[in-house]
């Protein structure tokens, strides 16, 4: 498994190959489409990420000292954002997750090109994952 930093670098490289933000949004939606299906029965209120305009569910599972996450959203863009975060955080230890730098989000421009509500939702997802 690539390191947390290597995973972030891969994401930055993928987004840097896009010529404009329309392509980047398309890539984000494609990334969201790669999420495995989330069991409908698990879409409960306690798994909802607070502070998101869209509905986002995050389910943690600990195995051998590492956290693995499943997630889903009712919005294509938000689903892509949570898929990016899971790609970075899933399979990591709690310490790795807590201490992870999120500079890659700025490098790919998400902090500038998302609406205020989506940006707040993105950081709510990050906070939820780090708190688990």
């Amino acid at each position: 498994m690539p390191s947390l930093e290597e995973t972030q670098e891969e994401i930055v490289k993928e987004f840097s190959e896009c010529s404009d933000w329309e392509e980047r949004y398309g890539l984000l939606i494609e990334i969201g489409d790669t999420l495995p299906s989330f069991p409908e029965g698990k879409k409960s209120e306690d798994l909802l990420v607070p502070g998101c305009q869209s509905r986002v569910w995050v389910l943690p599972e600990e195995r051998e000292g590492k956290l693995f996450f499943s997630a889903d959203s009712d919005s294509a863009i938000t689903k892509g954002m949570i898929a990016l975060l899971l790609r970075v955080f899933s399979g990591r230890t709690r310490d790795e997750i807590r201490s992870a730098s999120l500079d890659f989000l700025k490098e790919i421009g998400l902090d500038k090109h998302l609406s205020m509500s989506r940006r707040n939702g993105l950081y709510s997802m990050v906070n939820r994952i780090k708190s688990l």
Side-chain angles (χ1 to χ4, degrees):
M1 173 178 208
S3 72
L4 201 138
E5 292 79 15
E6 290 168 334
T7 301
Q8 292 180 18
E9 287 171 13
E10 288 171 10
I11 292 169
V12 169
K13 184 177 183 225
E14 288 170 19
F15 276 82
S16 70
E17 293 172 1
C18 296
S19 62
D20 59 23
W21 263 95
E22 189 173 322
E23 271 189 48
R24 287 180 183 208
Y25 282 127
L27 178 57
L28 200 55
I29 291 167
E30 285 177 32
I31 291 168
D33 288 341
T34 67
L35 279 179
S37 62
F38 194 86
E40 287 297 321
K42 295 286 186 181
K43 289 184 178 179
S44 60
E45 293 296 317
D46 62 316
L47 296 179
L48 277 173
V49 175
C52 286
Q53 187 175 12
S54 301
R55 295 171 61 85
V56 182
W57 298 269
V58 176
L59 176 65
E61 179 186 343
E62 188 168 3
R63 296 190 305 256
E64 299 176 16
K66 295 183 179 184
L67 287 172
F68 295 85
F69 300 94
S70 301
D72 198 9
S73 176
D74 60 359
S75 160
I77 296 285
T78 305
K79 192 171 184 174
M81 293 187 310
I82 193 65
L84 276 182
L85 295 176
L86 296 192
R87 190 166 150 194
V88 170
F89 291 125
S90 200
R92 310 284 177 195
T93 65
R94 291 177 190 276
D95 287 340
E96 286 176 302
I97 292 169
R98 280 190 206 111
S99 64
S101 162
L102 297 173
D103 291 341
F104 82 101
L105 295 172
K106 290 179 183 166
E107 288 182 53
I108 64 175
L110 277 182
D111 63 325
K112 293 180 194 170
H113 293 279
L114 291 175
S115 67
M116 181 63 82
S117 61
R118 280 210 171 111
R119 192 173 327 129
N120 289 341
L122 175 64
Y123 288 104
S124 292
M125 289 182 258
V126 169
N127 290 335
R128 174 70 172 178
I129 290 169
K130 285 189 171 213
S131 73
L132 294 169

